[in-house]
Amino acid sequence: MDYIPVISIQAILKDAGRSWPTTERPAASECNEIASMIGDACRDVGFFYIRDHGVDEELVNALFRDSQRFFAQPKEEKEKIRMENSGLHWKGWFELGGELTAGKIDHKEGIYFGDELPPDHAAVVARRPMHGPNLFPSAEAFPQFKRNVLAYLDAMERVSFALLRAIAVSLRLPANHFDGIFKPTPTRLLRVFQYPAPTDADASTRWGVGEHCDYGVLTILRQDAVGGLEVKGRGGVGWMAAPPIPGTFVVNIGDMLERLTWGRYRATPHRVKNTHGVDRMSIPFFFDPCWDAVVEPIAELAPDDDAPPHTREGGAQERWDGQDVVLSGARTYGDILTARVSKVFPQLIRGVNVETDAS
């Protein structure tokens, strides 16, 4: 596939609180068609746009407006919610150049958010990384920021579970197959990134984020109108632009879905470069298994004995890092996530027991 498809998900959202449609129900055909299109996109390109997603556009716009105002503040104001202030929670703001991707410095600044957990929550008391209260700018200056972030997390979860059901059906699994590792408490992570406008001669060779794959299951991205996201095509297609399309989100699959499906659905490398004369902003949401869930390839999808270890053409050789995420050892998602994030912010990992992660 040499393009990124746009898929309406309205029909599968209508069945959010019920079982997947059966042949006796009128919506069955339409929902199965959507599942098939999503499956094709996961298999052939690893990216797709979604429209008719039911997310309030005013909520999205409000989050962009507040984020833009936050980034426009003087550094001393932003430092009040600096990530280092959150300890093991790993939430808050990082400055330009403060994040690494594949060992290289990103040309962006950003804010990390997640589930809002009180200090007396069991996971916080146990000092579990990435669990705890968020760091928000002052309510006086940003009265709706906290409310909008938490509402956005909930809206994205609803969309994510609908997509997971469609992905399961596309694999000829029960629609609720993924509930076992996503319920009752999926890992929900929200980021807001700003990529500054290029200002010097080397801007054309400097990446906001270099080539990488996301390490979870689903990423749902909202872009502003600037653009700059590129997706690595397969079979010699080369890099493809993923331009903003008004009212849509960009969805991509990560390493953990590749692992779960024995490589039938593959994470696709992507990158970002801002070549325009204005700042670029994006809001990625990451929807992943429960912290204690063990992520292993799905037994029902195991290839035949005479097939290669996983059903991919090229496999790990097509990744920039040569890693094989399918055949790596079984671990909990919390261990995997902690190991990956420790490479993004190595200065924050002190005092945390991190298992070795080859990727």
Side-chain angles (χ1 to χ4, degrees), residues 202 226 319 346:
D202 68 342
V226 175
R319 289 175 63 106

Side-chain angles (χ1 to χ4, degrees), residues 30-45:
E30 186 177 3
C31 287
N32 287 332
E33 182 179 353
I34 293 170
S36 178
M37 290 189 290
I38 289 175
D40 289 345
C42 290
R43 183 186 63 247
D44 295 338
V45 69

Side-chain angles (χ1 to χ4, degrees), residues 107 198-207 273-274:
H107 194 64
T199 58
D200 50 37
D202 68 342
S204 62
T205 60
R206 185 172 57 209
W207 291 96
K273 181 188 288 184
N274 183 5

Side-chain angles (χ1 to χ4, degrees), residues 128-195:
R128 178 177 287 178
M130 285 170 274
H131 288 70
N134 289 285
L135 297 182
F136 291 104
S138 72
E140 182 179 359
F142 296 87
Q144 298 300 317
F145 207 162
K146 179 177 180 178
R147 184 194 70 82
N148 290 338
V149 165
L150 300 182
Y152 194 87
L153 285 166
D154 291 340
M156 289 294 100
E157 178 175 327
R158 178 171 178 264
V159 172
S160 297
F161 269 121
L163 293 175
L164 281 180
R165 288 192 299 276
I167 288 170
V169 170
S170 76
L171 293 163
R172 299 185 179 180
L173 297 169
N176 64 353
H177 177 87
F178 291 109
D179 286 2
I181 60 173
F182 277 85
K183 290 184 176 181
T185 53
T187 301
R188 310 188 308 175
L189 304 172
L190 181 65
R191 315 288 190 239
V192 183
F193 295 139
Q194 177 162 279
Y195 302 82

